[in-house]
Amino acid sequence: MEIDPNNISNPELHKLFLGGVAPRPIAFASTIDKDGNVNLSPFSFYNAYGINPTTLIFSPSRRGRDNTTKHTLENVKEVPEVVLNAVNYDMVQQMSLSSTEYPKGVDEFVKSGLTAIDSVKVKPPRVKESPLQFECKVRDIIEISGKAGSGNLVICELLYVHADENIFDENGNIHPDKIDLVGRLGGDYYVRTSGEAKFKVPKPITTLGIGVDSLPEEVRLSKILSGNDLGILGNIESLPNEKEIVDSMKNPLYRSLAKDETARHNYAKKLILENNLHEALKVLMLSSL
Ligand SMILES: Cc1cc2nc3c(=O)[nH]c(=O)nc-3n(C[C@H](O)[C@H](O)[C@H](O)COP(=O)(O)O)c2cc1C
């Protein structure tokens, strides 16, 4: 399917973004207007953009249907401060409720039943139930076009953090099971960071992998090994040498694997799953003898 963004409607484009740029973190933004009215709304066009100064950006878009602006945007123009509260699984329903299009001046803390507590450096209150709260000043607002559906980048500088001590592991890292954040997907879908949806991929920062291009052709063209298998093998730092492969032929199993590509690749896949990568490559290279 080929899509020219100029040939589809704005709602269709929006749907493509929501499903395809995902999962997205959620900023539960509390703001205040010049008269002191509090607002609380979630925004998943949100991320962090480096430290020094620590910069976070979220985007309250113009409404597609009538090109009006969201109260959150109006508030940060009046009082350039915001608390970006993280959203965990325990508060996902209340967060969703707060995204209801209540009239201006309605306090979504009250509507959603969440607790507003004073911030330290900024006027908008923070969400007590949130495990991680970022008090920020708004440095800049970039209005992308002013057209219906367009974004408004609210560029925030972090001033102060409140973190629940229970979200950290023994090494001081925030642990996904403990914080249990939720992320936004397309449609009505969300993802959470505990349970079976999560997995680990170690960062290749201390190793210099040989790369998939250095694997033998038979391995690269395997019908049994997946792209993930190749990525894992490409992360090892050297291939087994010929002597090791010759020696492994003393094993009757390996002598039979040398004659059967399908069995060889299936066996190697099992070894990859067990993280026995050097052995997996030895098996895969039996045919080179
Ligand atoms: C999980 C979630 C993420 C959302 N992300 C955005 C977003 O990134 N930008 C946006 O304009 N609206 C987003 N919305 C919709 C706003 O929260 C909604 O329009 C809200 O009523 C705006 O409130 P306000 O007018 O009080 O600022 C999101 C809603 C939910 C439930």
Side-chain angles (χ1 to χ4, degrees), residues 95-113:
M95 176 279 298
S96 175
L97 176 61
S98 77
S99 73
T100 307
E101 300 272 351
Y102 292 114
K104 189 158 170 73
V106 170
D107 181 346
E108 288 93 353
F109 274 100
V110 175
K111 284 286 164 205
S112 62

Side-chain angles (χ1 to χ4, degrees), residues 14 18 24-29 31 39-46 58-63 65 69-75 87 92 95-104 106 108 150-152 182-185 189-190:
H14 195 226
L18 295 182
R24 294 180 304 286
I26 302 170
F28 205 5
T31 56
N39 193 90
L40 178 66
S41 299
F43 296 94
S44 66
F45 290 166
Y46 168 56
F58 72 101
S59 174
S61 308
R62 285 177 165 271
R63 291 189 184 83
R65 57 176 183 276
T69 50
K70 308 237 165 143
H71 303 138
T72 302
L73 179 67
E74 292 157 15
N75 286 0
V87 177
V92 68
M95 176 279 298
S96 175
L97 176 61
S98 77
S99 73
T100 307
E101 300 272 351
Y102 292 114
K104 189 158 170 73
V106 170
E108 288 93 353
S150 65
N152 299 284
V182 291
R184 185 73 157 134
L185 307 171
Y189 290 102
Y190 288 85

Side-chain angles (χ1 to χ4, degrees), residues 17-18 22-23 64 73 119 155 201 220 223 264 268 277:
F17 260 27
L18 295 182
L73 179 67
S119 297
I155 304 178
V201 178
R220 281 187 281 122
K223 300 243 180 319
R264 197 160 58 240
L277 306 183

Side-chain angles (χ1 to χ4, degrees), residues 73-281:
L73 179 67
E74 292 157 15
N75 286 0
V76 290
K77 284 181 175 175
E78 291 177 14
V79 179
E81 295 178 341
V82 58
V83 185
L84 300 172
N85 302 275
V87 177
N88 65 5
Y89 184 74
D90 285 347
M91 59 197 286
V92 68
Q93 297 289 348
Q94 287 168 288
M95 176 279 298
S96 175
L97 176 61
S98 77
S99 73
T100 307
E101 300 272 351
Y102 292 114
K104 189 158 170 73
V106 170
D107 181 346
E108 288 93 353
F109 274 100
V110 175
K111 284 286 164 205
S112 62
L114 289 161
T115 317
I117 47 172
D118 284 346
S119 297
V120 173
K121 303 267 184 190
V122 298
K123 287 182 225 54
R126 53 204 171 93
V127 179
K128 181 167 179 258
E129 291 80 358
S130 165
L132 188 61
Q133 306 143 9
F134 296 146
E135 292 187 23
C136 301
K137 72 172 182 194
V138 173
R139 281 173 61 122
D140 206 355
I141 298 172
I142 300 177
E143 302 191 14
I144 300 292
S145 77
K147 293 183 192 161
S150 65
N152 299 284
L153 307 187
V154 181
I155 304 178
C156 309
E157 181 178 328
L158 182 68
L159 300 180
Y160 205 76
V161 179
H162 304 265
D164 180 339
E165 60 190 15
N166 296 317
I167 64 178
F168 296 97
D169 67 15
E170 59 284 3
N171 302 317
N173 296 315
I174 293 179
H175 193 282
D177 283 341
K178 291 174 185 280
I179 190 165
D180 204 6
L181 290 178
V182 291
R184 185 73 157 134
L185 307 171
D188 290 339
Y189 290 102
Y190 288 85
V191 66
R192 69 190 284 192
T193 64
S194 70
E196 286 180 15
K198 71 175 194 307
F199 55 94
K200 280 169 122 178
V201 178
K203 291 189 203 77
I205 41 177
T206 52
T207 53
L208 194 65
I210 58 170
V212 172
D213 59 324
S214 300
L215 297 172
E217 188 178 22
E218 180 194 297
V219 178
R220 281 187 281 122
L221 301 182
S222 171
K223 300 243 180 319
I224 290 163
L225 300 175
S226 65
N228 278 333
D229 293 330
L230 296 186
I232 291 168
L233 291 176
N235 206 23
I236 64 142
E237 294 189 274
S238 61
L239 291 172
N241 62 39
E242 198 179 331
K243 179 171 180 316
E244 285 178 275
I245 301 167
V246 170
D247 286 353
S248 70
M249 286 292 266
K250 289 180 193 142
N251 180 336
L253 169 65
Y254 280 39
R255 281 203 296 280
S256 74
L257 290 174
K259 291 184 232 138
D260 182 342
E261 180 172 324
T262 304
R264 197 160 58 240
H265 286 216
N266 278 323
Y267 193 72
K269 201 171 173 75
K270 182 175 143 299
L271 290 170
I272 294 170
L273 208 63
E274 292 162 3
N275 203 26
N276 197 349
L277 306 183
H278 195 74
E279 204 57 31
L281 274 164

